[in-house]
Amino acid sequence: MVVSSSNAVTKQRAQALIQARRFGEARRVLEAVGDAGDADIFGLLGLVCGMSGDNLAARSALERALAYRPDNAVLRNNLGCTLRALGESAQAEIQFREAVRLKPGYSGAEVNLGCSLIDAGAYAEAEHVLRTVLAASPQHPEALNNLGTALRQQGLHNEAVQCYEKAVS
């Protein structure tokens, strides 16, 4: 895929608008490009739509981005977050698993997978996934918090409290 220089300028402009938290403007800039065959444009559009609370539009944009880059772990993770926000937990879990498969050690996707497993009631599997994150990054606050939830759901209250306290500190 050849990315035009105008798409590069559009992406830079959109990223500046996103950093300035001007999501509506960023969305308009990105939507004006149309279907230029650029996964980055659609990925940014998905991000902007999600940050604006338009999860249906975010889903559409991220699915279009993945049509161009199906092996992109970040896009898969972002789509998983969007699907989870839409209440499509099983589909979100699939995306998180794929993101982790594509990029082993991707802690953001692993933490999100842990959350999806907690949503599904698979607490022991969530515990395993979250402990994997913590093996690489022992102070990861989201992993600690979510591990606390997985442990609490398994009746391991003392361990859960320790995780919560560590997450807060």
Side-chain angles (χ1 to χ4, degrees):
M1 163 179 54
V2 176
V3 177
S4 73
S5 62
S6 64
N7 282 4
V9 170
T10 297
K11 288 183 266 192
Q12 288 175 341
R13 184 167 175 224
Q15 288 169 333
L17 290 166
I18 291 167
Q19 288 177 351
R21 304 193 59 77
R22 294 165 51 189
F23 304 128
E25 288 177 68
R27 182 174 180 171
R28 286 188 290 281
V29 165
L30 293 164
E31 286 176 335
V33 173
D35 190 351
D38 190 331
D40 292 336
I41 294 285
F42 289 119
L44 283 171
L45 181 58
L47 179 69
V48 166
C49 290
M51 293 172 99
S52 302
D54 188 349
N55 290 311
L56 290 174
R59 176 185 187 166
S60 175
L62 291 165
E63 287 173 343
R64 291 176 79 182
L66 282 164
Y68 295 107
R69 282 207 202 127
D71 292 339
N72 186 296
V74 173
L75 291 172
R76 294 240 175 239
N77 183 58
N78 291 349
L79 178 57
C81 290
T82 299
L83 291 167
R84 190 165 180 250
L86 288 167
E88 298 181 32
S89 298
Q91 293 301 311
E93 182 182 326
I94 290 168
Q95 295 302 322
F96 296 136
R97 284 186 189 282
E98 184 64 6
V100 169
R101 185 191 71 76
L102 290 167
K103 189 175 178 183
Y106 179 11
S107 64
E110 290 171 334
V111 169
N112 289 330
L113 174 57
C115 288
S116 283
L117 292 167
I118 290 168
D119 291 346
Y123 307 118
E125 187 178 0
E127 176 186 353
H128 173 75
V129 168
L130 295 164
R131 287 192 188 279
T132 299
V133 174
L134 291 167
S137 182
Q139 302 302 318
H140 196 294
E142 291 88 2
L144 286 163
N145 182 68
N146 294 330
L147 177 58
T149 300
L151 294 169
R152 181 175 48 84
Q153 292 295 332
Q154 295 177 83
L156 302 169
H157 300 288
N158 290 337
E159 282 186 70
V161 168
Q162 290 173 1
C163 286
Y164 292 139
E165 288 174 344
K166 201 170 178 182
V168 170
S169 67

